[in-house]
Amino acid sequence: MPLMRRVLSRLTEDYLLLALLLLLPLLLWSSPTSPGALFALVDWQTVCALAGLMLLSRALEDSGYLARFAAWLLARCHAERDLAALLLLFASLLAAIVTNDVALFILIPIALSIGRLTGIAIGRLIIFLALAVNAGSALTPIGNPQNLVLWQASGYSFWQFTLMMAPLAVSLLLLLLLLSYWAFAKTKLTLVVPHQNSADSRQLFGWSLAGYPLFILAMEYQLAPYVAAVVLAVYLVFKRSVVSSIDRLLLLVFSLMFIDLGLLAKLPLMQQFAITLIELPAGSYIGAAFLSQLISNVPAAIFLQHFTDDWRALSWASVWAVLG
């Protein structure tokens, strides 16, 4: 019953989940499909990879050591402009490793504390941080969900995908740093960032950090489902709170997106629409950017991967759509 109440509560807040659930019966009516075929539409490599990354990211956050490092870093800034530059660099690096939303969860409370203690323009700083995590998350296949989807679909290695995204991510970060030079003053500030160290877990941080490269290696060799199961079992035994605190309904949303959009891609009308978009000049860029603005970047990436293998266009356009 608690799970059912949580799902119903989520449906009132998450319009994407609600839309996916309502769309599914209509699609099944238009194109009857067996349960086995529906199951096959889901990219389980990507869903399991997302689950494993969510567990590892949450464990790193819960360890307290990321916040401790951020506090240590910020305590060494003496001017507003320096603080902003270091925060933007840290935010982009963190987002490339632990995903953009986790990076914001870690940084925004620290930024709010900084605002209370120093009087810095916190609204402006948070806007720049949001842009920085999106720029940083664009760099790696694990930085954001659409990159994860396209990485798994493309067959590229981790480093091939990262090199493909590097020019865009680095250019965006340099542009943000340049803009921050004028947006923030050279005003001196005294910074004290309180961080309660008593609950920090060095063991949780160490094991979770070590698990990251191993899990990425598993994804390279299409072993994500097996290793994700091992990660889940380890946290269930040693740190159950990590498992209970991740957004498990997000995995349902992803599975439904694969099913709905896979069924949608089979409809003749949608196939013609997608082909028309892709055949335009720079069609992969235009199509990905247009659909990302229309239905969000992740479902746009999942849908268009059925019609083009221009992975650079799809990845770059979805980043521009987020920042736009």
Side-chain angles (χ1 to χ4, degrees), residues 191-252:
L191 183 63
V192 179
V193 180
H195 176 63
Q196 300 298 325
N197 296 336
S198 58
D200 291 353
S201 172
R202 178 177 296 182
Q203 187 178 38
L204 180 61
F205 174 75
W207 283 107
S208 301
L209 187 64
Y212 246 93
L214 294 176
F215 193 72
I216 292 171
L217 187 63
M219 287 190 286
E220 288 269 12
Y221 290 97
Q222 303 294 301
L223 297 173
Y226 308 104
V227 182
V230 172
V231 171
L232 175 63
V234 169
Y235 286 128
L236 279 173
V237 173
F238 296 104
K239 191 68 174 177
R240 188 178 293 268
S241 61
V242 169
V243 179
S244 61
S245 59
I246 67 168
D247 187 357
R248 286 166 287 180
L249 285 178
L250 180 61
L251 299 175
L252 174 61

Side-chain angles (χ1 to χ4, degrees), residues 14-71:
D14 192 332
Y15 295 114
L16 177 58
L17 176 57
L18 183 60
L20 290 169
L21 287 171
L22 293 176
L23 184 60
L24 182 57
L26 294 174
L27 290 170
L28 289 174
W29 175 77
S30 300
S31 179
T33 307
S34 68
L38 290 178
F39 187 85
L41 285 173
V42 179
D43 185 342
W44 293 109
Q45 288 287 339
T46 299
V47 172
C48 291
L50 179 62
L53 291 171
M54 287 169 64
L55 288 166
L56 290 167
S57 296
R58 185 68 195 194
L60 286 175
E61 183 182 356
D62 286 357
S63 74
Y65 270 75
L66 291 178
R68 181 187 286 197
F69 173 71

Side-chain angles (χ1 to χ4, degrees), residues 1-14 17-18 21 248-249 252:
M1 289 303 292
L3 178 60
M4 182 59 68
R5 284 197 296 269
R6 185 179 173 190
V7 171
L8 291 174
S9 174
R10 178 68 171 265
L11 285 174
T12 63
E13 301 169 359
D14 192 332
L17 176 57
L18 183 60
L21 287 171
R248 286 166 287 180
L249 285 178
L252 174 61

Side-chain angles (χ1 to χ4, degrees), residues 251-271:
L251 299 175
L252 174 61
V253 170
F254 257 78
S255 300
L256 284 171
M257 276 197 289
F258 279 114
I259 292 172
D260 284 11
L261 294 167
L263 291 172
L264 205 61
K266 293 181 178 180
L267 297 178
L269 181 63
M270 295 305 299
Q271 289 179 350

Side-chain angles (χ1 to χ4, degrees), residues 112-321:
L112 292 173
S113 296
I114 293 168
R116 288 193 297 269
L117 292 169
T118 66
I120 191 173
I122 196 63
R124 184 184 306 160
L125 180 59
I126 288 176
I127 290 171
F128 269 83
L129 285 176
L131 293 171
V133 298
N134 279 302
S137 70
L139 178 63
T140 66
I142 61 172
N144 56 51
Q146 70 268 18
N147 276 12
L148 183 60
V149 169
L150 294 174
W151 174 40
Q152 294 293 295
S154 68
Y156 288 177
S157 72
F158 183 92
W159 296 113
Q160 283 176 321
F161 195 96
T162 300
L163 286 173
M164 178 182 75
M165 299 302 295
L168 177 63
V170 172
S171 298
L172 289 172
L173 180 58
L174 290 175
L175 178 60
L176 276 176
L177 289 172
L178 184 63
L179 291 174
S180 73
Y181 183 84
W182 283 284
F184 297 93
K186 292 176 64 176
T187 308
K188 296 292 182 181
L189 51 84
T190 302
L191 183 63
V192 179
V193 180
H195 176 63
Q196 300 298 325
N197 296 336
S198 58
D200 291 353
S201 172
R202 178 177 296 182
Q203 187 178 38
L204 180 61
F205 174 75
W207 283 107
S208 301
L209 187 64
Y212 246 93
L214 294 176
F215 193 72
I216 292 171
L217 187 63
M219 287 190 286
E220 288 269 12
Y221 290 97
Q222 303 294 301
L223 297 173
Y226 308 104
V227 182
V230 172
V231 171
L232 175 63
V234 169
Y235 286 128
L236 279 173
V237 173
F238 296 104
K239 191 68 174 177
R240 188 178 293 268
S241 61
V242 169
V243 179
S244 61
S245 59
I246 67 168
D247 187 357
R248 286 166 287 180
L249 285 178
L250 180 61
L251 299 175
L252 174 61
V253 170
F254 257 78
S255 300
L256 284 171
M257 276 197 289
F258 279 114
I259 292 172
D260 284 11
L261 294 167
L263 291 172
L264 205 61
K266 293 181 178 180
L267 297 178
L269 181 63
M270 295 305 299
Q271 289 179 350
Q272 187 57 49
F273 171 70
I275 291 170
T276 301
L277 275 179
I278 297 300
E279 287 180 347
L280 292 171
S284 295
Y285 285 96
I286 293 171
F290 172 72
L291 284 180
S292 293
Q293 291 289 352
L294 187 64
I295 61 172
S296 182
N297 47 1
V298 179
I302 292 173
F303 177 70
L304 287 175
Q305 68 169 325
H306 294 282
F307 301 99
T308 179
D309 57 1
D310 191 344
W311 308 113
R312 174 171 169 166
L314 295 182
S315 304
W316 282 39
S318 64
V319 172
W320 280 115

